[in-house]
Short mmCIF file of all heavy atoms in Angstrom, two decimals:
data_model
loop_
_atom_site.label_atom_id
_atom_site.label_comp_id
_atom_site.label_asym_id
_atom_site.label_seq_id
_atom_site.Cartn_x
_atom_site.Cartn_y
_atom_site.Cartn_z
N TRP A 15 100.64 93.72 113.94
CA TRP A 15 99.21 93.69 114.24
C TRP A 15 98.67 95.10 114.43
O TRP A 15 97.52 95.41 114.05
CB TRP A 15 98.94 92.84 115.48
CG TRP A 15 99.43 91.43 115.34
CD1 TRP A 15 100.67 90.96 115.67
CD2 TRP A 15 98.70 90.31 114.84
NE1 TRP A 15 100.75 89.61 115.40
CE2 TRP A 15 99.55 89.18 114.90
CE3 TRP A 15 97.40 90.15 114.37
CZ2 TRP A 15 99.16 87.92 114.48
CZ3 TRP A 15 97.01 88.88 113.95
CH2 TRP A 15 97.89 87.79 114.00
N SER A 16 99.46 95.98 115.02
CA SER A 16 99.03 97.37 115.22
C SER A 16 98.86 98.10 113.90
O SER A 16 97.97 98.97 113.78
CB SER A 16 100.07 98.12 116.07
OG SER A 16 100.14 97.62 117.39
N LEU A 17 99.72 97.80 112.95
CA LEU A 17 99.67 98.50 111.67
C LEU A 17 98.32 98.32 110.98
O LEU A 17 97.81 99.27 110.35
CB LEU A 17 100.80 98.00 110.76
CG LEU A 17 100.79 98.48 109.30
CD1 LEU A 17 100.85 100.00 109.23
CD2 LEU A 17 101.95 97.86 108.53
N ARG A 18 97.72 97.16 111.08
CA ARG A 18 96.49 96.87 110.34
C ARG A 18 95.38 97.89 110.59
O ARG A 18 94.93 98.57 109.66
CB ARG A 18 96.00 95.46 110.66
CG ARG A 18 96.91 94.35 110.19
CD ARG A 18 96.43 93.04 110.80
NE ARG A 18 97.11 91.87 110.25
CZ ARG A 18 96.81 90.63 110.62
NH1 ARG A 18 95.86 90.42 111.52
NH2 ARG A 18 97.44 89.61 110.08
N PRO A 19 94.87 98.02 111.84
CA PRO A 19 93.79 98.99 112.03
C PRO A 19 94.24 100.44 111.91
O PRO A 19 93.45 101.30 111.48
CB PRO A 19 93.29 98.68 113.45
CG PRO A 19 94.46 98.07 114.13
CD PRO A 19 95.18 97.30 113.08
N TRP A 20 95.49 100.72 112.29
CA TRP A 20 96.00 102.09 112.13
C TRP A 20 95.95 102.51 110.67
O TRP A 20 95.48 103.61 110.33
CB TRP A 20 97.43 102.18 112.66
CG TRP A 20 98.00 103.57 112.61
CD1 TRP A 20 97.99 104.50 113.61
CD2 TRP A 20 98.67 104.18 111.49
NE1 TRP A 20 98.59 105.66 113.18
CE2 TRP A 20 99.03 105.50 111.88
CE3 TRP A 20 98.99 103.77 110.21
CZ2 TRP A 20 99.69 106.39 111.04
CZ3 TRP A 20 99.65 104.65 109.35
CH2 TRP A 20 100.00 105.94 109.77
N LEU A 21 96.42 101.64 109.77
CA LEU A 21 96.42 101.95 108.35
C LEU A 21 95.00 102.02 107.81
O LEU A 21 94.68 102.90 107.01
CB LEU A 21 97.24 100.90 107.59
CG LEU A 21 97.43 101.15 106.10
CD1 LEU A 21 98.31 102.38 105.88
CD2 LEU A 21 98.05 99.93 105.42
N LEU A 22 94.17 101.08 108.22
CA LEU A 22 92.79 101.06 107.74
C LEU A 22 92.08 102.37 108.09
O LEU A 22 91.45 102.99 107.23
CB LEU A 22 92.05 99.87 108.38
CG LEU A 22 90.60 99.66 107.95
CD1 LEU A 22 90.51 99.33 106.47
CD2 LEU A 22 89.96 98.55 108.79
N MET A 23 92.19 102.80 109.33
CA MET A 23 91.51 104.01 109.74
C MET A 23 92.14 105.26 109.13
O MET A 23 91.43 106.20 108.75
CB MET A 23 91.51 104.10 111.27
CG MET A 23 90.74 102.96 111.93
SD MET A 23 90.77 103.00 113.74
CE MET A 23 89.52 104.27 114.06
N THR A 24 93.44 105.26 109.01
CA THR A 24 94.13 106.41 108.42
C THR A 24 93.76 106.59 106.96
O THR A 24 93.41 107.69 106.52
CB THR A 24 95.65 106.26 108.58
OG1 THR A 24 95.99 106.18 109.97
CG2 THR A 24 96.38 107.44 107.95
N MET A 25 93.80 105.51 106.20
CA MET A 25 93.56 105.61 104.76
C MET A 25 92.09 105.80 104.41
O MET A 25 91.76 106.31 103.34
CB MET A 25 94.16 104.41 104.03
CG MET A 25 95.67 104.42 104.07
SD MET A 25 96.49 103.29 102.93
CE MET A 25 95.98 103.92 101.33
N LEU A 26 91.21 105.40 105.32
CA LEU A 26 89.78 105.64 105.09
C LEU A 26 89.28 106.92 105.75
O LEU A 26 88.08 107.20 105.76
CB LEU A 26 88.96 104.45 105.61
CG LEU A 26 89.15 103.13 104.87
CD1 LEU A 26 88.24 102.05 105.45
CD2 LEU A 26 88.91 103.27 103.37
N ASP A 27 90.22 107.70 106.28
CA ASP A 27 89.89 109.00 106.89
C ASP A 27 88.86 108.85 108.02
O ASP A 27 87.92 109.65 108.14
CB ASP A 27 89.37 109.98 105.84
CG ASP A 27 90.45 110.38 104.84
OD1 ASP A 27 91.60 110.56 105.26
OD2 ASP A 27 90.14 110.50 103.64
N ILE A 28 89.06 107.81 108.84
CA ILE A 28 88.24 107.63 110.03
C ILE A 28 89.00 108.27 111.19
O ILE A 28 90.06 107.77 111.59
CB ILE A 28 87.99 106.14 110.31
CG1 ILE A 28 87.28 105.49 109.12
CG2 ILE A 28 87.19 105.95 111.59
CD1 ILE A 28 87.15 103.97 109.23
N PRO A 29 88.52 109.37 111.74
CA PRO A 29 89.29 110.07 112.78
C PRO A 29 89.46 109.22 114.04
O PRO A 29 88.54 108.52 114.46
CB PRO A 29 88.43 111.31 113.07
CG PRO A 29 87.54 111.46 111.88
CD PRO A 29 87.28 110.07 111.40
N PHE A 30 90.64 109.30 114.64
CA PHE A 30 90.89 108.58 115.88
C PHE A 30 92.04 109.23 116.63
O PHE A 30 92.90 109.90 116.05
CB PHE A 30 91.20 107.10 115.63
CG PHE A 30 92.48 106.84 114.88
CD1 PHE A 30 93.66 106.53 115.56
CD2 PHE A 30 92.52 106.89 113.49
CE1 PHE A 30 94.85 106.27 114.87
CE2 PHE A 30 93.70 106.64 112.79
CZ PHE A 30 94.86 106.33 113.48
N THR A 31 92.04 109.00 117.94
CA THR A 31 93.17 109.38 118.77
C THR A 31 94.17 108.24 118.76
O THR A 31 93.81 107.09 119.02
CB THR A 31 92.71 109.67 120.22
OG1 THR A 31 91.81 110.76 120.20
CG2 THR A 31 93.90 109.98 121.11
N ASP A 32 95.41 108.55 118.46
CA ASP A 32 96.46 107.55 118.31
C ASP A 32 97.22 107.43 119.63
O ASP A 32 97.97 108.34 120.00
CB ASP A 32 97.40 107.98 117.18
CG ASP A 32 98.38 106.91 116.78
OD1 ASP A 32 98.28 105.79 117.29
OD2 ASP A 32 99.26 107.21 115.94
N ARG A 33 97.01 106.33 120.34
CA ARG A 33 97.65 106.12 121.64
C ARG A 33 98.66 104.98 121.54
O ARG A 33 98.28 103.85 121.24
CB ARG A 33 96.59 105.81 122.71
CG ARG A 33 97.14 105.43 124.07
CD ARG A 33 96.01 105.18 125.03
NE ARG A 33 96.40 104.32 126.15
CZ ARG A 33 95.55 103.84 127.05
NH1 ARG A 33 94.25 104.18 126.99
NH2 ARG A 33 95.97 103.05 128.01
N ILE A 34 99.91 105.26 121.76
CA ILE A 34 100.96 104.26 121.64
C ILE A 34 101.37 103.77 123.03
O ILE A 34 101.68 104.57 123.91
CB ILE A 34 102.19 104.82 120.89
CG1 ILE A 34 101.79 105.28 119.48
CG2 ILE A 34 103.30 103.78 120.82
CD1 ILE A 34 102.91 105.93 118.71
N GLU A 35 101.37 102.46 123.19
CA GLU A 35 101.84 101.82 124.42
C GLU A 35 103.05 100.95 124.03
O GLU A 35 102.89 99.83 123.57
CB GLU A 35 100.74 100.96 125.04
CG GLU A 35 99.53 101.74 125.53
CD GLU A 35 99.80 102.48 126.83
OE1 GLU A 35 100.83 102.17 127.49
OE2 GLU A 35 98.98 103.34 127.19
N PRO A 36 104.26 101.46 124.19
CA PRO A 36 105.44 100.75 123.69
C PRO A 36 105.66 99.40 124.38
O PRO A 36 105.31 99.22 125.56
CB PRO A 36 106.59 101.70 124.00
CG PRO A 36 105.95 103.03 124.19
CD PRO A 36 104.61 102.75 124.78
N PHE A 37 106.22 98.46 123.63
CA PHE A 37 106.67 97.20 124.22
C PHE A 37 107.81 97.50 125.19
O PHE A 37 108.79 98.14 124.82
CB PHE A 37 107.19 96.24 123.15
CG PHE A 37 106.14 95.77 122.18
CD1 PHE A 37 106.39 95.80 120.82
CD2 PHE A 37 104.93 95.27 122.62
CE1 PHE A 37 105.44 95.36 119.91
CE2 PHE A 37 103.97 94.82 121.72
CZ PHE A 37 104.23 94.87 120.36
N ALA A 38 107.67 97.03 126.41
CA ALA A 38 108.76 97.15 127.37
C ALA A 38 109.61 95.88 127.40
O ALA A 38 110.75 95.88 127.84
CB ALA A 38 108.22 97.43 128.76
N ALA A 39 109.01 94.79 126.93
CA ALA A 39 109.70 93.49 126.88
C ALA A 39 108.99 92.64 125.84
O ALA A 39 107.99 93.06 125.25
CB ALA A 39 109.64 92.81 128.25
N MET A 40 109.50 91.43 125.62
CA MET A 40 108.84 90.55 124.66
C MET A 40 107.44 90.19 125.14
O MET A 40 106.49 90.10 124.36
CB MET A 40 109.67 89.28 124.45
CG MET A 40 109.12 88.36 123.36
SD MET A 40 109.08 89.17 121.75
CE MET A 40 108.40 87.87 120.73
N ASP A 41 107.26 90.01 126.44
CA ASP A 41 105.97 89.68 127.01
C ASP A 41 105.46 90.88 127.82
O ASP A 41 106.00 91.20 128.87
CB ASP A 41 106.08 88.45 127.90
CG ASP A 41 104.73 87.96 128.42
OD1 ASP A 41 103.73 88.69 128.22
OD2 ASP A 41 104.66 86.87 129.00
N ASN A 42 104.44 91.55 127.29
CA ASN A 42 103.90 92.74 127.93
C ASN A 42 102.49 92.49 128.47
O ASN A 42 101.73 93.42 128.70
CB ASN A 42 103.86 93.89 126.93
CG ASN A 42 105.23 94.22 126.39
OD1 ASN A 42 105.97 95.00 126.97
ND2 ASN A 42 105.59 93.60 125.27
N HIS A 43 102.16 91.22 128.65
CA HIS A 43 100.79 90.82 128.97
C HIS A 43 100.26 91.52 130.22
O HIS A 43 99.16 92.09 130.22
CB HIS A 43 100.71 89.31 129.13
CG HIS A 43 99.34 88.81 129.44
ND1 HIS A 43 98.87 88.64 130.73
CD2 HIS A 43 98.32 88.44 128.63
CE1 HIS A 43 97.64 88.19 130.69
NE2 HIS A 43 97.27 88.06 129.43
N ALA A 44 101.01 91.49 131.29
CA ALA A 44 100.53 92.05 132.55
C ALA A 44 100.25 93.55 132.43
O ALA A 44 99.20 94.03 132.89
CB ALA A 44 101.55 91.78 133.66
N ALA A 45 101.15 94.28 131.82
CA ALA A 45 100.97 95.72 131.69
C ALA A 45 99.82 96.06 130.75
O ALA A 45 99.01 96.95 131.03
CB ALA A 45 102.26 96.36 131.18
N PHE A 46 99.71 95.31 129.65
CA PHE A 46 98.68 95.60 128.66
C PHE A 46 97.28 95.18 129.11
O PHE A 46 96.29 95.64 128.58
CB PHE A 46 99.02 94.94 127.32
CG PHE A 46 100.11 95.65 126.54
CD1 PHE A 46 100.85 96.68 127.10
CD2 PHE A 46 100.40 95.27 125.24
CE1 PHE A 46 101.85 97.32 126.39
CE2 PHE A 46 101.39 95.91 124.51
CZ PHE A 46 102.12 96.94 125.09
N ARG A 47 97.23 94.30 130.12
CA ARG A 47 95.93 93.90 130.65
C ARG A 47 95.17 95.07 131.26
O ARG A 47 93.96 95.00 131.44
CB ARG A 47 96.11 92.80 131.70
CG ARG A 47 96.31 91.41 131.13
CD ARG A 47 95.02 90.75 130.76
NE ARG A 47 94.22 90.42 131.95
CZ ARG A 47 92.98 89.97 131.91
NH1 ARG A 47 92.38 89.80 130.75
NH2 ARG A 47 92.33 89.70 133.04
N ALA A 48 95.85 96.15 131.54
CA ALA A 48 95.18 97.33 132.09
C ALA A 48 94.18 97.93 131.11
O ALA A 48 93.22 98.60 131.52
CB ALA A 48 96.22 98.38 132.48
N PHE A 49 94.38 97.69 129.81
CA PHE A 49 93.47 98.25 128.81
C PHE A 49 93.00 97.23 127.78
O PHE A 49 92.14 97.54 126.96
CB PHE A 49 94.12 99.44 128.09
CG PHE A 49 95.47 99.12 127.49
CD1 PHE A 49 95.58 98.48 126.28
CD2 PHE A 49 96.64 99.45 128.17
CE1 PHE A 49 96.81 98.19 125.73
CE2 PHE A 49 97.89 99.17 127.63
CZ PHE A 49 97.97 98.52 126.41
N SER A 50 93.58 96.03 127.79
CA SER A 50 93.25 95.02 126.79
C SER A 50 92.88 93.70 127.46
O SER A 50 93.66 93.19 128.28
CB SER A 50 94.46 94.79 125.86
OG SER A 50 94.26 93.65 125.05
N PRO A 51 91.74 93.12 127.14
CA PRO A 51 91.35 91.85 127.78
C PRO A 51 92.29 90.70 127.46
O PRO A 51 92.38 89.74 128.23
CB PRO A 51 89.94 91.59 127.24
CG PRO A 51 89.84 92.40 126.00
CD PRO A 51 90.70 93.61 126.22
N THR A 52 93.00 90.79 126.34
CA THR A 52 93.94 89.73 125.97
C THR A 52 95.37 90.04 126.39
O THR A 52 96.26 89.20 126.24
CB THR A 52 93.92 89.50 124.45
OG1 THR A 52 94.35 90.70 123.79
CG2 THR A 52 92.53 89.11 123.97
N GLY A 53 95.62 91.25 126.86
CA GLY A 53 96.98 91.66 127.17
C GLY A 53 97.80 91.93 125.93
O GLY A 53 99.03 91.89 125.97
N GLN A 54 97.11 92.22 124.81
CA GLN A 54 97.79 92.46 123.54
C GLN A 54 97.22 93.70 122.88
O GLN A 54 96.14 94.19 123.23
CB GLN A 54 97.62 91.24 122.61
CG GLN A 54 98.24 89.96 123.14
CD GLN A 54 97.96 88.77 122.25
OE1 GLN A 54 96.82 88.54 121.83
NE2 GLN A 54 98.99 88.00 121.95
N VAL A 55 97.93 94.19 121.89
CA VAL A 55 97.44 95.28 121.04
C VAL A 55 97.30 94.72 119.62
O VAL A 55 97.92 93.73 119.29
CB VAL A 55 98.42 96.48 121.06
CG1 VAL A 55 98.39 97.17 122.39
CG2 VAL A 55 99.85 96.05 120.72
N PRO A 56 96.45 95.37 118.81
CA PRO A 56 95.76 96.64 119.01
C PRO A 56 94.44 96.49 119.77
O PRO A 56 93.88 95.40 119.85
CB PRO A 56 95.49 97.10 117.58
CG PRO A 56 95.27 95.81 116.83
CD PRO A 56 96.27 94.86 117.43
N VAL A 57 93.99 97.63 120.29
CA VAL A 57 92.70 97.73 120.96
C VAL A 57 92.05 99.04 120.51
O VAL A 57 92.73 100.08 120.42
CB VAL A 57 92.86 97.73 122.49
CG1 VAL A 57 91.55 98.10 123.19
CG2 VAL A 57 93.33 96.38 122.98
N LEU A 58 90.76 98.97 120.23
CA LEU A 58 90.00 100.16 119.87
C LEU A 58 89.01 100.47 120.99
O LEU A 58 88.26 99.59 121.43
CB LEU A 58 89.23 99.93 118.56
CG LEU A 58 88.46 101.13 118.00
CD1 LEU A 58 89.42 102.21 117.50
CD2 LEU A 58 87.53 100.68 116.87
N LEU A 59 89.03 101.71 121.47
CA LEU A 59 88.08 102.16 122.48
C LEU A 59 87.06 103.06 121.80
O LEU A 59 87.42 104.01 121.10
CB LEU A 59 88.81 102.94 123.59
CG LEU A 59 89.99 102.23 124.26
CD1 LEU A 59 90.62 103.14 125.31
CD2 LEU A 59 89.57 100.90 124.87
N HIS A 60 85.77 102.74 122.01
CA HIS A 60 84.73 103.54 121.36
C HIS A 60 83.41 103.41 122.11
O HIS A 60 82.93 102.29 122.34
CB HIS A 60 84.54 103.08 119.90
CG HIS A 60 83.46 103.83 119.19
ND1 HIS A 60 82.30 103.22 118.75
CD2 HIS A 60 83.36 105.14 118.85
CE1 HIS A 60 81.53 104.12 118.16
NE2 HIS A 60 82.15 105.29 118.21
N ASP A 61 82.85 104.54 122.47
CA ASP A 61 81.50 104.58 123.03
C ASP A 61 81.35 103.66 124.24
O ASP A 61 80.34 102.96 124.39
CB ASP A 61 80.48 104.22 121.95
CG ASP A 61 79.07 104.71 122.29
OD1 ASP A 61 78.94 105.62 123.13
OD2 ASP A 61 78.11 104.16 121.72
N GLY A 62 82.38 103.63 125.07
CA GLY A 62 82.36 102.79 126.26
C GLY A 62 82.68 101.34 126.01
O GLY A 62 82.62 100.51 126.94
N ARG A 63 83.01 100.99 124.78
CA ARG A 63 83.31 99.61 124.42
C ARG A 63 84.81 99.44 124.22
O ARG A 63 85.50 100.35 123.77
CB ARG A 63 82.60 99.20 123.14
CG ARG A 63 81.09 99.38 123.17
CD ARG A 63 80.48 98.90 121.86
NE ARG A 63 79.04 99.19 121.83
CZ ARG A 63 78.50 100.22 121.19
NH1 ARG A 63 79.27 101.07 120.52
NH2 ARG A 63 77.20 100.42 121.23
N THR A 64 85.30 98.24 124.50
CA THR A 64 86.67 97.85 124.18
C THR A 64 86.60 96.80 123.09
O THR A 64 86.03 95.72 123.29
CB THR A 64 87.39 97.28 125.42
OG1 THR A 64 87.48 98.30 126.42
CG2 THR A 64 88.79 96.80 125.05
N ILE A 65 87.16 97.12 121.93
CA ILE A 65 87.15 96.20 120.80
C ILE A 65 88.59 95.74 120.60
O ILE A 65 89.48 96.55 120.34
CB ILE A 65 86.61 96.87 119.52
CG1 ILE A 65 85.17 97.36 119.74
CG2 ILE A 65 86.64 95.90 118.36
CD1 ILE A 65 85.07 98.78 120.19
N TRP A 66 88.82 94.44 120.75
CA TRP A 66 90.19 93.94 120.68
C TRP A 66 90.40 93.07 119.46
O TRP A 66 89.44 92.60 118.85
CB TRP A 66 90.53 93.17 121.96
CG TRP A 66 89.75 91.90 122.17
CD1 TRP A 66 90.12 90.63 121.81
CD2 TRP A 66 88.46 91.75 122.80
NE1 TRP A 66 89.17 89.71 122.16
CE2 TRP A 66 88.13 90.38 122.77
CE3 TRP A 66 87.55 92.64 123.38
CZ2 TRP A 66 86.94 89.88 123.30
CZ3 TRP A 66 86.38 92.16 123.90
CH2 TRP A 66 86.08 90.80 123.86
N ASP A 67 91.66 92.89 119.12
CA ASP A 67 92.11 92.08 117.98
C ASP A 67 91.89 92.84 116.67
O ASP A 67 90.84 93.43 116.45
CB ASP A 67 91.38 90.73 117.95
CG ASP A 67 92.03 89.78 116.97
OD1 ASP A 67 91.78 89.89 115.75
OD2 ASP A 67 92.80 88.91 117.41
N SER A 68 92.88 92.79 115.80
CA SER A 68 92.80 93.55 114.55
C SER A 68 91.61 93.13 113.68
O SER A 68 90.98 93.96 113.03
CB SER A 68 94.10 93.43 113.75
OG SER A 68 94.40 92.08 113.47
N LEU A 69 91.27 91.84 113.68
CA LEU A 69 90.12 91.39 112.90
C LEU A 69 88.82 91.87 113.54
O LEU A 69 87.91 92.33 112.84
CB LEU A 69 90.12 89.87 112.76
CG LEU A 69 88.98 89.27 111.93
CD1 LEU A 69 88.95 89.87 110.52
CD2 LEU A 69 89.11 87.74 111.86
N GLY A 70 88.73 91.78 114.87
CA GLY A 70 87.56 92.29 115.55
C GLY A 70 87.35 93.77 115.28
O GLY A 70 86.22 94.24 115.08
N ILE A 71 88.44 94.54 115.25
CA ILE A 71 88.36 95.97 114.97
C ILE A 71 87.88 96.21 113.55
O ILE A 71 87.02 97.07 113.30
CB ILE A 71 89.72 96.64 115.22
CG1 ILE A 71 90.07 96.58 116.72
CG2 ILE A 71 89.71 98.09 114.73
CD1 ILE A 71 91.50 96.99 117.03
N ALA A 72 88.41 95.45 112.59
CA ALA A 72 87.99 95.61 111.19
C ALA A 72 86.50 95.29 111.03
O ALA A 72 85.79 95.99 110.31
CB ALA A 72 88.83 94.72 110.29
N LEU A 73 86.04 94.24 111.68
CA LEU A 73 84.62 93.90 111.60
C LEU A 73 83.76 94.98 112.23
O LEU A 73 82.70 95.34 111.70
CB LEU A 73 84.38 92.55 112.30
CG LEU A 73 85.02 91.33 111.63
CD1 LEU A 73 84.86 90.10 112.51
CD2 LEU A 73 84.42 91.08 110.25
N TYR A 74 84.19 95.50 113.36
CA TYR A 74 83.46 96.57 114.04
C TYR A 74 83.37 97.81 113.16
O TYR A 74 82.30 98.41 113.00
CB TYR A 74 84.16 96.89 115.37
CG TYR A 74 83.44 97.88 116.24
CD1 TYR A 74 82.40 97.48 117.06
CD2 TYR A 74 83.83 99.22 116.28
CE1 TYR A 74 81.74 98.39 117.90
CE2 TYR A 74 83.20 100.13 117.11
CZ TYR A 74 82.15 99.70 117.91
OH TYR A 74 81.51 100.61 118.73
N LEU A 75 84.50 98.20 112.58
CA LEU A 75 84.51 99.38 111.71
C LEU A 75 83.70 99.15 110.44
O LEU A 75 83.07 100.07 109.91
CB LEU A 75 85.94 99.76 111.36
CG LEU A 75 86.82 100.24 112.52
CD1 LEU A 75 88.26 100.40 112.06
CD2 LEU A 75 86.29 101.55 113.11
N GLY A 76 83.71 97.91 109.94
CA GLY A 76 82.97 97.60 108.73
C GLY A 76 81.48 97.77 108.88
O GLY A 76 80.76 98.00 107.89
N GLU A 77 80.97 97.67 110.10
CA GLU A 77 79.55 97.89 110.36
C GLU A 77 79.20 99.37 110.44
O GLU A 77 78.02 99.73 110.41
CB GLU A 77 79.15 97.21 111.66
CG GLU A 77 79.23 95.70 111.63
CD GLU A 77 78.82 95.06 112.94
OE1 GLU A 77 78.85 95.77 113.98
OE2 GLU A 77 78.46 93.87 112.93
N ARG A 78 80.21 100.23 110.52
CA ARG A 78 79.97 101.65 110.76
C ARG A 78 80.50 102.57 109.67
O ARG A 78 80.15 103.75 109.64
CB ARG A 78 80.62 102.04 112.11
CG ARG A 78 79.87 101.45 113.29
CD ARG A 78 80.71 101.39 114.55
NE ARG A 78 79.87 100.89 115.66
CZ ARG A 78 79.59 99.59 115.82
NH1 ARG A 78 80.07 98.68 114.99
NH2 ARG A 78 78.79 99.22 116.82
#
Side-chain angles (χ1 to χ4, degrees):
W15 301 89
S16 294
L17 172 59
R18 294 170 171 182
W20 184 93
L21 185 67
L22 182 64
M23 297 178 79
T24 300
M25 291 194 63
L26 293 183
D27 293 321
I28 301 172
F30 66 97
T31 298
D32 190 6
R33 174 179 157 187
I34 300 176
E35 295 284 346
F37 295 132
M40 186 61 180
D41 186 351
N42 301 273
H43 181 269
F46 284 9
R47 280 278 291 172
F49 53 81
S50 169
T52 63
Q54 297 175 313
V55 289
V57 169
L58 184 69
L59 306 179
H60 179 245
D61 200 20
R63 304 182 185 100
T64 297
I65 300 93
W66 66 93
D67 192 280
S68 58
L69 182 56
I71 294 170
L73 294 172
Y74 185 82
L75 294 173
E77 294 180 339
R78 290 160 176 79

